[in-house]
Amino acid sequence: MLYDDFLKKIKQCPFCLPQERIIGKKLSFLTYALAPYHKDHLLVTSKRHAESFLDLGKKERDEMLDLVNLAVRILHSFGYKDCSILGRDGNNAGKSIKHFHFHVIPKVLLGDIDNYRKERKILSQKDIDKTIKKIRAVIKK
Ligand SMILES: [Zn+2]
C-alpha cells in the first residue's frame, strides 16, 4: 500500500494508538518507520500527543534525545556510519503525521527525502518482524 493511501485511511493518530513500540520509556518510545525512506529508518516520539517540538516538556525532550542517541547507536551497530536526524516542526515542514517525531535515517540525503514521498510504501508484516528482530538483537548486546 502506498503511504499516501494509508494516510487517507487513518482516522486516529498512529503514534497514539497501541502499537509495537520496540523500546518504550516512561514518556517516549523508539519504533520503526511504517513507511520508511530506508529499510532501517527509525522513529522516536513522545507517548503524549504533542504536535510541536515546543509543546514537549523538558523530561519528554530529554528522554526523546536519549532515544535518538540510542537510535544512532543501533544504526551504527547495523553497520551504517552515516545517518540523518530529522524533526519536522510546524504545518509547512512537510510532516504527514501531526504528532511530533524524530526520524533517524541511515544513508539518505535530506534533499532526497521529500522527492521520494510519493513512492513511500507501508511495510509488510514480514518486513516489520525482520526489523523488530534486528533491533532487539542489537539492544540485547
Ligand atoms: Zn498522537
Side-chain angles (χ1 to χ4, degrees):
M1 181 194 294
L2 287 172
Y3 185 53
D4 281 345
D5 294 333
F6 168 80
L7 291 174
K8 285 176 202 156
K9 282 188 178 180
I10 57 170
K11 292 182 173 75
Q12 252 190 298
C13 171
F15 293 134
C16 289
L17 291 171
Q19 56 177 279
E20 184 88 52
R21 293 186 165 180
I22 321 272
I23 301 167
K25 288 201 158 213
K26 194 173 165 195
L27 305 170
S28 59
F29 62 93
L30 180 154
T31 190
Y32 55 88
L34 190 57
Y37 290 115
H38 180 281
K39 69 184 179 70
D40 293 316
H41 176 169
L42 303 176
L43 301 175
V44 171
T45 192
S46 57
K47 288 185 177 172
R48 185 177 66 87
H49 187 93
E51 297 193 357
S52 168
F53 183 72
L54 297 176
D55 294 337
L56 295 166
K58 182 175 178 5
K59 286 182 181 172
E60 285 171 310
R61 261 194 333 263
D62 288 349
E63 242 192 50
M64 285 172 70
L65 291 174
D66 284 348
L67 287 175
V68 167
N69 182 296
L70 179 61
V72 173
R73 289 174 186 278
I74 289 169
L75 294 181
H76 279 230
S77 298
F78 288 176
Y80 302 110
K81 298 216 178 339
D82 310 294
C83 68
S84 296
I85 299 164
L86 169 70
R88 298 180 190 267
D89 197 58
N91 293 328
N92 298 309
K95 67 179 173 178
S96 49
I97 302 293
K98 287 184 183 288
H99 190 140
F100 180 83
H101 53 287
F102 286 111
H103 297 258
V104 185
I105 318 163
K107 291 181 75 171
V108 70
L109 298 175
L110 289 180
D112 295 340
I113 289 177
D114 290 320
N115 294 329
Y116 179 65
R117 166 87 189 260
K118 288 197 183 317
E119 297 166 36
R120 284 173 80 185
K121 290 189 177 93
I122 299 297
L123 287 180
S124 67
Q125 191 57 51
K126 193 179 161 193
D127 289 333
I128 291 169
D129 293 344
K130 205 169 140 186
T131 300
I132 291 172
K133 198 175 164 185
K134 235 169 104 174
I135 294 168
R136 292 225 162 102
V138 167
I139 56 178
K140 275 182 187 165
K141 286 181 189 168

